[in-house]
Amino acid sequence: MAELCKVRIRAAGSPDFDIALEPTATVLDAKIAATAGCDIDPRFMLIICKGRVLKDEEVLSNCGVRSGDALHVARGPPVAVAVPAAAAASSSGPTSGPTIGITVKGPGGVDVELQALGADEPVDRLRALAAERCGLKAEQVHLLHKAKMLRDGQSLAAAGLRAGDVVRVARRQAEAP
């Protein structure tokens, strides 16, 4: 397995923090991971490295980003980002497969243990539970696991979640009317 690329995120109004990304991560992946430490929605986020604004679809390593580099985050105009729409209604009944327990870390220091989730349950259900426990609506949050945004429509197991994993809840910024 390739070593993770560790970069420092510098955003105005937020303390600097580090994120670790896969070597094949895109700029969009970095934006989503950066939401864990700064309050800018990825659709409004610009990532700047070595004086250049990076494009969402670019692979960080192809842009010259290396471990130890700093990525500067700035608020920009809204950009169309492929944020998944809510999938069809999720199941709320009991699961038939193995169960897992997950720790959810939300905004404002909220830590919640979610037990007995079915590995075959959809990410949509985890999003709804996590948002509810954090006092938010499901459509207001991104779920992050190991620096990747969880996608609706796939099972927790398919998303790579295992017992004891930590999922971070990051707020999406409301769009101006």
Side-chain angles (χ1 to χ4, degrees):
M1 179 174 10
E3 190 173 319
L4 293 177
C5 178
K6 296 176 184 171
V7 294
R8 174 143 302 223
I9 299 295
R10 294 189 170 154
S14 299
D16 292 357
F17 61 96
D18 296 327
I19 59 172
L21 299 162
E22 298 288 332
T24 57
T26 64
V27 172
L28 178 58
D29 293 328
K31 286 181 174 184
I32 292 166
T35 63
C38 69
D39 200 22
I40 302 174
D41 186 289
R43 294 172 294 172
F44 298 90
M45 194 181 288
L46 298 173
I47 298 279
I48 303 159
C49 183
K50 301 174 185 170
R52 182 173 158 248
V53 177
L54 306 180
K55 295 181 180 157
D56 287 353
E57 64 277 358
E58 292 181 294
V59 175
L60 291 171
S61 60
N62 293 347
C63 297
V65 176
R66 303 287 177 252
S67 244
D69 284 351
L71 298 179
H72 298 269
V73 173
R75 185 180 306 271
V79 177
V81 172
V83 176
S90 61
S91 68
S92 57
T95 63
S96 58
T99 61
I100 57 177
I102 295 172
T103 301
V104 173
K105 293 190 174 278
V110 174
D111 282 6
V112 178
E113 297 289 329
L114 296 177
Q115 298 297 324
L117 289 168
D120 59 344
E121 289 192 59
V123 167
D124 316 53
R125 183 158 192 280
L126 175 59
R127 178 188 314 283
L129 290 169
E132 177 186 324
R133 301 287 170 85
C134 293
L136 301 167
K137 294 180 182 175
E139 61 271 7
Q140 293 177 313
V141 300
H142 295 292
L143 296 180
L144 304 166
H145 177 249
K146 297 183 178 175
K148 297 230 183 234
M149 186 168 75
L150 298 181
R151 306 283 180 196
D152 288 342
Q154 65 181 163
S155 71
L156 299 180
L161 286 161
R162 304 288 178 257
D165 279 355
V166 174
V167 172
R168 296 195 181 279
V169 175
R171 275 185 259 206
R172 293 180 182 172
Q173 183 168 336
E175 292 187 37

